[in-house]
Amino acid sequence: MSENRPTHTGLEGRIADIIMDPLEAQGYELVRVQVMGTETPTVQIMADRADGAGFTLDDCEKVSRLLSAVLDVEDPIESAWTLEVSSAGIDRPLTRTKDFNNYAGFDARIELNFPGPGNRKRFTGKLAGADAETARLVLENGETVELPRSDIRKAKLVLTDALIAFTTQPKVTN
């Protein structure tokens, strides 16, 4: 597993495997695949630009055309489905090791599949980084909890003024 790649399972994992290489070849990174609905499912793809620049409407269109063609050929869903491509947004999901590390110090909510430290499933605090196995979060009381990444159901940044300021500042290039 690369720090730049999210982990998916089931149908979402199969779709991620299909689209990952073509997406990266065009200068993008996959943030998340989510399949919603059953009768006519929506395949939601969230992506970032690999160069760190903002993900624009033009990027959405380019990625949508690319992935539509790739998924039409591979046809991972037997019924009719809809493709939706978007940026991860400011209060983005945290799916990759690099997300947890790039946003260390910012507020996040993490929900586990199974009870974790303190027999809890939901945690809110400041991100303190991650590695491939564990995400660290500093709770309001100052306690640092280590949460198994394999048990994380969902994790996302909390929208705060500090996060908005951080994500809207111009990127410095050398």
Side-chain angles (χ1 to χ4, degrees):
M1 173 172 73
S2 162
E3 80 160 11
N4 296 329
R5 289 185 163 191
T7 302
H8 292 86
T9 59
L11 176 59
E12 292 164 346
R14 201 164 70 223
I15 292 169
D17 288 345
I18 292 168
I19 67 172
M20 196 89 66
D21 289 338
L23 196 60
E24 290 175 352
Q26 293 299 312
Y28 297 99
E29 296 177 340
L30 180 63
V31 175
R32 182 178 77 191
V33 173
Q34 187 172 14
V35 178
M36 301 169 292
T38 53
E39 197 164 309
T40 306
T42 297
V43 177
Q44 182 189 64
I45 308 291
M46 285 187 180
D48 276 336
R49 289 176 53 123
D51 64 6
F55 196 81
T56 66
L57 183 58
D58 286 342
D59 292 313
C60 280
E61 291 172 357
K62 183 178 177 184
V63 169
S64 182
R65 282 192 301 274
L66 169 71
L67 297 184
S68 191
V70 169
L71 291 170
D72 280 347
V73 169
E74 295 294 329
D75 203 18
I77 300 175
E78 294 179 14
S79 65
W81 52 275
T82 303
L83 178 63
E84 178 183 293
V85 174
S86 69
S87 74
I90 294 174
D91 54 344
R92 64 188 305 116
L94 302 165
T95 61
R96 306 168 294 178
T97 302
K98 72 183 251 174
D99 297 328
F100 287 92
N101 292 326
N102 288 346
Y103 293 95
F106 290 99
D107 293 342
R109 283 192 188 98
I110 299 177
E111 183 177 327
L112 301 177
N113 288 313
F114 310 101
N119 207 29
R120 296 170 49 190
K121 289 175 88 173
R122 291 178 186 86
F123 298 85
T124 301
K126 296 220 179 284
L127 286 175
D131 56 34
E133 288 82 37
T134 306
R136 291 173 298 287
L137 196 65
V138 179
L139 305 179
E140 196 172 276
N141 66 6
E143 175 190 2
T144 299
V145 292
E146 293 193 352
L147 306 171
R149 297 265 314 272
S150 60
D151 289 349
I152 293 177
R153 183 172 173 272
K154 68 179 160 181
K156 69 179 283 183
L157 292 173
V158 174
L159 191 60
T160 63
D161 290 341
L163 180 62
I164 292 169
F166 175 76
T167 57
T168 57
Q169 69 187 5
K171 303 283 188 238
V172 176
T173 56
N174 296 336

